[in-house]
Amino acid sequence: MEIAGLPLHPLVVHAAVVLIPLTALLAVGLAVLPRWRWLVRWPTAVASVACVGFAFLATTSGESLEEERNLGRLVHEHAERGERLADLTIVLAVVVVVAALVLPGPSGLASGRGAVVRRVAYADTVLAVLLVAVAAVVLVQVVLTGDSGARAVWGQ
């Protein structure tokens, strides 16, 4: 797959490299800043779902590029890490969407409309810890995947 003679993969990867870590950081904010949940709740949920799409597009275009050209062992390692990252973005999206629906927090409106109240005891604590843990794993995987891709392209 190409756009104007350029392989699609490097173009899509730049979007994923920006959006996935940003979403992971927003997820941490959603978990640890209850007063700001009204502001980051839905943008984080939407961004996490978009991350799944960008990760899928990046892995698909990368597999296509790998099939078109014989690129070697380093690219294969990068592809495996990319697939693992794509799977982790699905996990992140599920946890973020559940957190957006369940985590309690105030409303940004003066009327208080739209505030989320605690529904299940201890769910907010467990979900917040899970959200931070998944976000941290995703951030580490982004770095590992990007590093292996850079090594594959630019050499050691």
Side-chain angles (χ1 to χ4, degrees):
M1 295 183 268
E2 293 183 356
I3 294 178
L6 291 172
L8 181 62
H9 183 68
L11 301 173
V12 172
V13 163
H14 284 91
V17 164
V18 171
L19 188 61
I20 293 173
L22 178 63
T23 302
L25 292 175
L26 283 171
V28 171
L30 179 65
V32 300
L33 301 171
R35 290 192 163 191
W36 288 90
R37 285 184 184 148
W38 65 270
L39 181 63
V40 297
R41 182 181 308 273
W42 298 115
T44 306
V46 169
S48 69
V49 173
C51 285
V52 173
F54 280 120
F56 174 75
L57 192 55
T59 55
T60 303
S61 62
E63 288 170 358
S64 173
L65 185 61
E66 187 178 16
E67 288 173 6
E68 288 176 9
R69 304 171 185 175
N70 188 10
L71 298 173
R73 180 187 59 81
L74 290 176
V75 172
H76 182 69
E77 177 186 334
H78 172 65
E80 288 178 357
R81 287 185 176 177
E83 289 174 9
R84 194 172 308 124
L85 178 59
D87 293 340
L88 286 171
T89 59
I90 294 170
V91 173
L92 179 66
V94 168
V95 174
V96 165
V97 169
V98 169
L101 294 170
V102 173
L103 284 179
S107 171
L109 302 175
S111 67
R113 187 173 169 194
V116 177
V117 296
R118 176 181 282 177
R119 295 181 184 144
V120 180
Y122 302 108
D124 53 338
T125 305
V126 172
L127 197 53
V129 169
L130 181 63
L131 197 52
V132 170
V134 171
V137 169
V138 166
L139 285 170
V140 168
Q141 191 62 36
V142 166
V143 171
L144 292 174
T145 304
D147 180 62
S148 66
R151 289 181 192 276
V153 171
W154 304 108
Q156 304 216 352

